[in-house]
Amino acid sequence: MLEPANAWTQGLDFPSRLFESGSNDYELYEEDGEFVLSVELPGFDPSEITASWNDGVLNVAGEHEDESRGTRRTYHRRFRFPKAIDEDGIEATYRNGILSVRLPVTVENAVSGTEIEIES
């Protein structure tokens, strides 16, 4: 009988969420010349969320304090993009607990780099 993934990874240094299905709190895809990122942040107020763009990396952070329960929730994630983004065209909205960020790709599609030859 097979054991669940989190049972056989328990002694390893891997976060168990890597092996769980459906545990991602975001969705990222590219369509119509732009990247679209949706991040689930239920329970946060828009004023508690920040999104910033710096040198090809989108930072999303949030901090929520519930004084009645004496709890604090924080969120921080960085997203690196493989194509050049039109920084002035980035738009973000927050509705129904979901932060949506639209990042238009510039005409010079690829971020600079060198193609690596693959030997066989």
Side-chain angles (χ1 to χ4, degrees):
M1 181 173 145
L2 292 174
E3 294 183 33
N6 56 0
W8 61 264
T9 59
Q10 200 166 20
L12 303 175
D13 288 335
F14 296 118
S16 61
R17 70 177 297 165
L18 286 177
F19 300 94
E20 296 170 2
S21 60
S23 64
N24 280 343
D25 54 4
Y26 71 93
E27 179 181 50
L28 176 63
Y29 58 92
E30 185 177 3
E31 83 175 357
D32 299 329
E34 68 180 359
F35 286 103
V36 179
L37 172 69
S38 298
V39 182
E40 294 177 18
L41 294 166
F44 285 84
D45 189 85
S47 65
E48 299 172 324
I49 301 169
T50 59
S52 61
W53 178 260
N54 185 19
D55 196 26
V57 177
L58 176 70
N59 287 295
V60 175
E63 186 171 326
H64 174 74
E65 279 194 59
D66 186 342
E67 293 178 11
S68 64
R69 294 184 180 179
T71 60
R72 175 192 283 201
R73 289 178 46 217
T74 59
Y75 179 90
H76 185 250
R77 187 163 284 202
R78 302 176 84 176
F79 301 91
R80 183 171 295 280
F81 290 84
K83 295 182 179 181
I85 301 297
D86 174 10
E87 296 180 24
D88 296 329
I90 299 173
E91 297 177 349
T93 57
Y94 181 72
R95 289 188 187 97
N96 299 323
I98 297 177
L99 174 70
S100 297
V101 184
R102 296 175 109 47
L103 304 103
V105 176
T106 61
V107 179
E108 318 87 52
N109 271 339
V111 169
S112 62
T114 305
E115 185 172 338
I116 299 169
E117 183 179 335
I118 300 173
E119 297 180 22
S120 58

